[in-house]
Amino acid sequence: MEAELPGREDGRAEARPEDQRPHRKGASVADIRKYGQPPGLKDRRNEEHWAGRLYMRDLSPYFAWVFLRLGFSPNQLTYLMMLSGVVAGVVVSLPAGGMAALWTALGGAVLIQVYLLLDCVDGEVARYLRRTSVAGVFLDRIGHYLSEVSLLIGLGFAAQGGWKNGGWAELGLVAALGAALIKAETDNVVVARAKSGLAADPTGGDRALRPRSTGIALARQAASMLRFHRIIGAVELSLLILAAAALDVALGNDTPAAIRVLTVAVAAVAVLQTLLHLVSILASRRLK
């Protein structure tokens, strides 16, 4: 969901004379697209997920229409988003082997798609009802933390072969910690600037994000082009888990070998990305 809108003391947007949107139960899908998906929504490259731009934003207004008629609030939808993401990690972690492991991986992937859908819908409903708020942004961020961490922990237990201690489970925890730290590094830029009396966004736009060192800037650009960091994102990771589980079944592996290879790769990327992201922030103008 979006940040709190100006115009009223209660944080709700001021209604414009030309804004004659129907009551929530009388809204059409076209109304939701008009008022819930403002122009430029899909162009927010740093905020809008590629799957949202590719297909989910085309589907979400239909579900937003249903939830509006059922009387759901934006925050209730965000809580459902959190729940679907956390349950996805639990499902992936279920002790299973062979075809059963493939089914748990499929279940996790489907639940992450539900998580992505609800991540789109809660904002659309909030904008339609003029209930965008700071609390909504906070809950949305917490939902992303919980979902990614849960899925990475679930991957570790899937690689371990069950709910028990071991090196594979610990690798999953390392990856989860790395994913949480990366998000914390990003969010704490805003916290540090606020505590220093600065605006949330640094002046200079995209230039402020670039490291001042040419070498670091080139390394950051190369990493961005390779997009290897995406494998720790919930949507991409859920699909990779499904592919790895299918490969284990196809090869007839007695142990989840492909899942374990993925776990090593994910943990390595999480650790490396945590360090690179920290260096990139410190070397940029974001803290100036």
Side-chain angles (χ1 to χ4, degrees):
M1 290 183 284
E2 302 304 311
E4 187 171 339
L5 296 180
R8 288 171 45 169
E9 291 182 358
D10 61 3
R12 298 185 182 184
E14 199 73 61
R16 298 176 182 176
E18 69 275 12
D19 186 355
Q20 300 296 324
R21 68 188 69 185
H23 183 266
R24 63 184 301 156
K25 291 191 177 181
S28 66
V29 172
D31 291 326
I32 294 168
R33 290 192 192 280
K34 179 179 179 180
Y35 298 110
Q37 294 186 348
L41 182 68
K42 290 185 179 181
D43 298 327
R44 303 180 307 173
R45 295 286 173 176
N46 291 332
E47 297 180 38
E48 187 70 12
H49 194 275
W50 61 265
R53 296 193 300 271
L54 185 62
Y55 60 88
M56 197 58 81
R57 285 294 181 185
D58 295 326
L59 298 175
S60 58
Y62 296 97
F63 290 88
W65 177 83
V66 172
F67 285 120
L68 278 171
R69 286 179 172 268
L70 291 176
F72 279 80
S73 71
N75 284 354
Q76 286 172 337
L77 293 170
T78 305
Y79 289 130
L80 287 176
M81 179 198 79
M82 292 182 189
L83 180 63
S84 61
V86 171
V87 173
V90 174
V91 169
V92 166
S93 74
L94 291 173
M99 281 299 298
L102 181 58
W103 284 111
T104 59
L106 178 60
V110 170
L111 283 165
I112 289 299
Q113 290 299 310
V114 174
Y115 151 84
L116 177 62
L117 172 66
L118 291 168
D119 191 27
C120 294
V121 169
D122 64 357
E124 292 168 1
V125 170
R127 283 186 290 270
Y128 190 87
L129 297 176
R130 304 187 190 95
R131 291 187 189 173
T132 54
S133 65
V134 175
V137 175
F138 174 79
L139 288 173
D140 190 73
R141 295 295 298 174
I142 293 296
H144 292 310
Y145 272 73
L146 289 174
S147 300
E148 290 191 7
V149 165
S150 177
L151 192 60
L152 287 161
I153 293 174
L155 173 62
F157 281 115
Q160 190 66 43
W163 291 340
K164 53 189 176 184
N165 293 330
W168 299 108
E170 291 169 1
L171 271 181
L173 290 170
V174 168
L177 176 60
L181 285 174
I182 291 166
K183 289 186 176 297
E185 288 169 356
T186 300
D187 291 343
N188 274 291
V189 170
V190 178
V191 173
R193 292 182 63 84
K195 284 183 174 290
S196 300
L198 301 174
D201 296 321
T203 57
D206 289 341
R207 288 181 299 173
L209 304 179
R210 299 172 192 157
R212 289 165 290 177
S213 166
T214 303
I216 295 177
L218 289 174
R220 179 178 180 271
Q221 185 176 6
S224 179
M225 290 176 61
L226 292 172
R227 302 190 184 282
F228 68 91
H229 60 283
R230 282 189 169 178
I231 72 170
I232 59 176
V235 174
E236 293 85 352
L237 180 59
S238 68
L239 298 176
L240 288 171
I241 292 172
L242 178 59
L247 183 59
D248 279 329
V249 170
L251 296 177
N253 293 331
D254 295 329
T255 58
I259 289 288
R260 289 178 174 178
V261 170
L262 177 60
T263 304
V264 171
V266 164
V269 167
V271 171
L272 180 61
Q273 185 66 13
T274 301
L275 296 173
L276 291 178
H277 193 51
L278 178 62
V279 171
S280 177
I281 290 172
L282 292 174
S284 72
R285 298 175 180 83
R286 278 177 275 189
L287 300 178
K288 301 296 182 182

